[in-house]
Amino acid sequence: MAAEKITINNGKLNVPNEPIIPIIEGDGVGVDITPVMQKVVDTAIQKAYGGSKKIHWMPILAGEKAIAASGQLLPDESINAIKEHLVAIKGPLMTPVGGGFRSLNVTMRQVLDLYACVRPVRYYAGVPSPMREPEKLDVVIFRENTEDVYAGIEWQKGTPEAAKFEEFLKSMGKKVREGSGFGVKPISEMGSKRLVRAAIAYALKHKRKSVTLMHKGNIMKFTEGAFMAYGYEVAKEFGDHVITEKEVTEGKSAEGKLLIKDRIADSMFQQLLLRPDEYDVIATTNLNGDYISDAAAAQAGGLGIAPGANINYNVSGIALFEATHGTAPKYAGLDKVNPGSLILSAVMMLEYLNWQEAAELVEKSFSKTIQQKILTYDLARQVEGAKEVKCSEFGDAMIKNMG
Ligand code: NAP
């Protein structure tokens, strides 16, 4: 068999037995965690399918290594490779400070129109958590990735653009303080609906109980409020498969249906702390999603093990799986940090490929290794009786636990 490209047909992914998957090692600790993830994933695939399936990793460049090789932070070649092969995975990338650079991660999401940032957050027994009952948290956050104040429409105070915008606002009868900086928050019907549609489709596929639309619509009516309204409109497309909280209050039965509800953003943070088991899939705008993803990850035991993916469901099918933490430069090359975030992102990738058996093998061995108290420094320092291991040794322990 030979290496082949993954393709998409009418929104359905066709995955060959030997797909080519572009991989960005990443800056900083990328050099430590990425090879460990590859070794773990390759072993799981070998064990799950006895050699009938295999990933052909295709290294591509971005970040510091790309600068060294080509002078470009994000070479066109790398973007084109992802567009051509559809599914890719990346380690963390540094964000250059100053010089007007935008975050590479944000740029990639926008250039590839990866509109859904998907962050599952669940607790693994044995991981130290600040919560009394961390196991009650098991949510998947769908964060809109391309709009909101994150879209990069902003002007620094004192620039001619800011002055022009200030004039425009005044001509519209709005008062602003002189010398303000500005950021614009566009929220579109198309952008909101495709995100909520993806979240509901995911929830139905994975037999989840509810989708909560998280918004700040009580204050920002035409952006956050509109997001919520679009969400409920999209829910109607799913007919009898879904039911709204309002309908349940009116006496309809929710039996066998996916519950659609909404919560105001500030209340959502409280609810996730106080009644985590009442929440399941959460669909939200970009900035809310940024905050709630990290807060939820902290509840479950930290960013070192939180996985993530940026996906364009159904249209281009492009999906970029990633470690959610940064480059942690002080630990780069020390073989020390936790490879969990990238490994669990690879689990999401295997699920996206529909290689469920390999995904389960990796997740179970991860869980087992943590329960054996075999931990990298970040978790070991919080767990009594832990055996502290290096990044690569954690991967080896996982492989051993695959049997
Ligand atoms: P960071 O790289 O995530 O590191 C902050 C701290 O988090 C580390 O010092 C370490 O804490 C802990 N940590 C991060 N990854 C860990 C891992 N795998 N295992 C164990 N502990 C881990 O955040 P930062 O220092 O703010 O950012 C550094 C660079 O990364 C910046 O250029 C930033 O823009 C970039 N960044 C990239 C991404 C991405 O590519 N997705 C995301 C965020 C930031 P202790 O020191 O307490 O051990």
Side-chain angles (χ1 to χ4, degrees):
M1 271 186 297
E4 286 179 80
K5 285 179 191 167
I6 296 171
T7 55
I8 187 161
N9 205 342
N10 284 331
K12 197 179 170 300
L13 217 59
N14 304 310
V15 181
N17 281 334
E18 298 201 15
I20 303 164
I21 298 206
I23 181 165
I24 297 170
E25 182 180 74
D27 299 323
V29 291
V31 66
D32 303 293
I33 61 176
T34 307
V36 171
M37 178 279 293
Q38 285 175 283
K39 195 171 165 190
V40 166
V41 168
D42 286 342
T43 310
I45 293 170
Q46 168 66 30
K47 284 192 187 289
Y49 307 112
S52 66
K53 290 185 194 293
K54 178 183 170 179
I55 288 176
H56 291 264
W57 303 103
M58 175 190 181
I60 58 172
L61 293 178
E64 277 170 350
K65 294 189 187 84
I67 292 246
S70 68
Q72 274 183 292
L73 263 173
L74 188 57
D76 292 344
E77 269 169 42
S78 298
I79 288 292
N80 290 337
I82 299 173
K83 281 185 183 163
E84 226 175 276
H85 296 88
L86 302 187
V87 175
I89 189 162
K90 64 177 269 293
L93 293 172
M94 58 98 186
T95 302
V97 180
F101 290 109
R102 299 209 60 205
S103 148
L104 278 180
N105 301 298
V106 175
T107 306
M108 288 172 99
R109 290 167 192 173
Q110 291 196 342
V111 171
L112 296 166
D113 195 25
L114 304 173
Y115 65 84
C117 177
V118 186
R119 298 268 297 263
V121 183
R122 57 160 286 208
Y123 176 71
Y124 289 92
V127 172
S129 155
M131 304 300 292
R132 263 190 299 125
E133 297 173 305
E135 65 287 348
K136 285 192 172 173
L137 184 74
D138 182 0
V139 293
V140 182
I141 298 159
F142 275 69
R143 162 189 173 197
E144 205 291 325
N145 239 350
T146 62
E147 305 194 326
D148 207 343
V149 276
Y150 251 80
I153 308 174
E154 52 177 6
W155 296 288
Q156 192 177 6
K157 77 159 194 172
T159 59
E161 291 82 2
K164 202 169 170 184
F165 194 65
E166 194 176 302
E167 275 312 306
F168 167 71
L169 289 176
K170 282 182 180 157
S171 75
M172 296 289 282
K174 302 290 177 193
K175 280 188 192 150
V176 284
R177 286 202 184 92
E178 261 174 46
S180 295
F182 298 100
V184 178
K185 180 181 174 77
I187 301 278
S188 75
E189 179 171 352
M190 185 280 273
S192 305
K193 283 190 168 175
R194 66 179 180 176
L195 185 272
V196 177
R197 196 176 287 119
I200 296 178
Y202 176 96
L204 288 170
K205 182 177 173 198
H206 294 268
K207 299 194 171 30
R208 293 283 185 152
K209 291 190 290 292
S210 68
V211 172
T212 304
L213 306 167
M214 173 188 176
H215 62 91
K216 188 73 185 166
N218 54 331
I219 305 296
M220 292 171 271
K221 296 185 178 27
F222 308 123
T223 51
E224 297 276 325
F227 175 84
M228 176 198 68
Y230 296 139
Y232 280 117
E233 276 174 36
V234 163
K236 287 189 191 140
E237 293 173 11
F238 292 84
D240 271 355
H241 296 292
V242 302
I243 189 161
T244 62
E245 197 169 44
K246 186 163 173 271
E247 288 171 317
V248 175
T249 323
E250 288 163 356
K252 285 196 182 162
S253 164
E255 188 69 35
K257 294 186 182 184
L258 177 70
L259 182 67
I260 311 290
K261 51 187 174 180
D262 74 275
R263 293 290 181 270
I264 291 180
D266 35 330
S267 147
M268 188 75 245
F269 279 90
Q270 290 187 48
Q271 295 274 304
L272 222 48
L273 284 168
L274 300 173
R275 292 142 79 169
D277 46 351
E278 288 178 21
Y279 296 91
D280 204 330
V281 172
I282 297 170
T284 191
T285 50
N286 205 339
L287 185 61
N288 290 336
D290 190 12
Y291 298 153
I292 198 81
S293 310
D294 277 19
Q299 266 178 251
L303 278 174
I305 58 163
N310 299 290
I311 303 179
N312 180 308
Y313 284 99
N314 298 329
V315 186
S316 71
I318 297 175
L320 182 59
F321 297 83
E322 64 176 358
T324 53
H325 56 75
T327 57
K330 66 182 174 188
Y331 297 118
L334 299 184
D335 192 13
K336 185 170 171 77
V337 295
N338 193 334
S341 173
L342 193 60
I343 289 175
L344 293 176
S345 300
V347 169
M348 293 176 75
M349 182 182 82
L350 293 168
E351 284 171 352
Y352 190 71
L353 301 178
N354 254 329
W355 290 11
Q356 202 55 42
E357 300 79 5
E360 271 173 30
L361 210 51
V362 178
E363 194 174 23
K364 279 189 182 145
S365 74
F366 178 80
S367 185
K368 192 170 170 187
T369 309
I370 299 272
Q371 281 179 53
Q372 290 166 339
K373 297 191 180 183
I374 300 174
L375 303 168
T376 44
Y377 85 96
D378 51 317
L379 301 182
R381 66 188 168 187
Q382 304 172 65
V383 174
E384 230 183 273
K387 178 177 181 222
E388 184 178 325
V389 293
K390 293 179 182 171
C391 176
S392 58
E393 289 169 343
F394 183 83
D396 292 340
M398 276 187 67
I399 288 171
K400 207 168 156 205
N401 278 332
M402 286 180 202

